[in-house]
Amino acid sequence: MLNTLLPLLSSIISFVFAFFVLKRYLARKGAHLLLWGIGTIFYGIGGFCEFYYGAFDWNPFIFRLWYLFGAVLVAAWLGQGTVYLLVRRKWANVLMAVLVVGSLYAVFKVFTAQLDPSLMISSGHTGRELSGHAITSSGVRVLTPFFNLYGVVMLVGGAAYSAWIFWRKRILLHRTIGNILIAVGAIMPAFGGLFSRLQLPGALYLGEFLGIILLFIGFLRATTPMGETMFAVESAT
């Protein structure tokens, strides 16, 4: 039951999150907001595919969608949004061009790879078969760690760095708190995947669910000013 409910909730929250981010993008612009919006849509697609698995079992198209958006692209596109906040525009554009080319290559490889149907059927889903083992083309499996490492380093590292900067300067407490929540939320799916590989059923889905909640709350906290008087007084003592 939870293996169906948690991905569904993660997907719904992701799409609601994307709405808020893209609404802010339309009002304020900013490449980081557009990329975060795209990234949260990818998160929602991945969650929907996992929900579909729990409710109706896998089919090749759903598996390819999950692998592309949920396993390969989501972390990198979210991380690229943070790159546009912290890196000079020239280098951010270069990295964006590389990410677009890499993403198009991933689309091609995922949708042309051969699948092993026997690994797409599991009565006790733990996430192990979603790590790429069901895709027999090594060219696809090699992509995943590069995209994920880039995304996690940029998103977690960028959020942690921003939180430290605001804390050190004793300004904008809401952004300090928000970035801490974003950093923790970004790493939760990785922990979920780790525990899933240790044969803890549902750990992946729980990590993704907690992750998107913390990311959403962190975004709302970082973009909603709060009273800074108490923070200023405390920093002066």
Side-chain angles (χ1 to χ4, degrees):
M1 179 64 178
L2 285 179
N3 285 357
T4 302
L5 180 61
L6 287 178
L8 177 60
L9 292 175
S10 295
S11 181
I12 293 172
I13 293 170
S14 297
F15 289 129
V16 173
F17 186 5
F19 170 79
F20 278 90
V21 176
L22 293 175
K23 179 181 178 182
R24 188 174 179 85
Y25 166 72
L26 292 175
R28 296 172 173 256
K29 305 306 176 184
H32 64 290
L33 292 171
L34 177 60
L35 287 163
W36 286 342
I38 293 172
T40 50
I41 289 173
F42 289 172
Y43 205 118
I45 293 173
F48 174 79
C49 292
E50 291 168 344
F51 157 73
Y52 187 99
Y53 162 82
F56 308 107
D57 212 345
W58 283 111
N59 67 55
F61 179 70
I62 290 296
F63 183 88
R64 293 180 197 275
L65 279 183
W66 180 88
Y67 198 87
L68 178 65
F69 293 108
V72 180
L73 298 183
V74 58
W77 281 75
L78 286 171
Q80 184 63 29
T82 301
V83 168
Y84 271 99
L85 276 180
L86 300 178
V87 177
R88 289 185 178 180
R89 187 78 179 202
K90 173 185 175 181
W91 293 110
N93 287 338
V94 170
L95 291 171
M96 185 73 241
V98 173
L99 178 60
V100 169
V101 172
S103 298
L104 292 175
Y105 178 73
V107 171
F108 170 76
K109 295 298 289 184
V110 168
F111 279 91
T112 58
Q114 294 182 349
L115 299 179
D116 183 347
S118 67
L119 294 177
M120 296 170 59
I121 301 173
S122 173
S123 59
H125 178 59
T126 64
R128 180 177 176 82
E129 70 274 27
L130 299 183
S131 64
H133 295 83
I135 294 183
T136 58
S137 170
S138 60
V140 178
R141 291 170 57 184
V142 124
L143 292 173
T144 311
F146 290 102
F147 278 87
N148 287 333
L149 181 61
Y150 176 76
V152 170
V153 168
M154 294 303 175
L155 187 57
V156 177
Y161 175 75
S162 297
W164 179 75
I165 290 294
F166 289 124
W167 175 260
R168 187 187 66 176
K169 293 182 178 180
R170 297 297 192 268
I171 59 172
L172 302 177
L173 174 59
H174 64 287
R175 292 192 177 179
T176 301
I177 297 172
N179 276 288
I180 291 173
L181 291 172
I182 288 171
V184 175
I187 209 168
M188 288 302 295
F191 278 115
L194 173 63
F195 286 114
S196 180
R197 285 190 288 274
L198 295 176
Q199 305 302 309
L200 292 178
L204 175 64
Y205 297 156
L206 180 60
E208 291 171 345
F209 175 66
L210 294 176
I212 195 62
I213 288 177
L214 290 173
L215 286 170
F216 196 180
I217 295 174
F219 173 80
L220 293 176
R221 179 68 282 168
T223 56
T224 306
M226 58 189 292
E228 306 291 341
T229 304
M230 180 69 71
F231 192 51
V233 170
E234 289 178 352
S235 66
T237 60

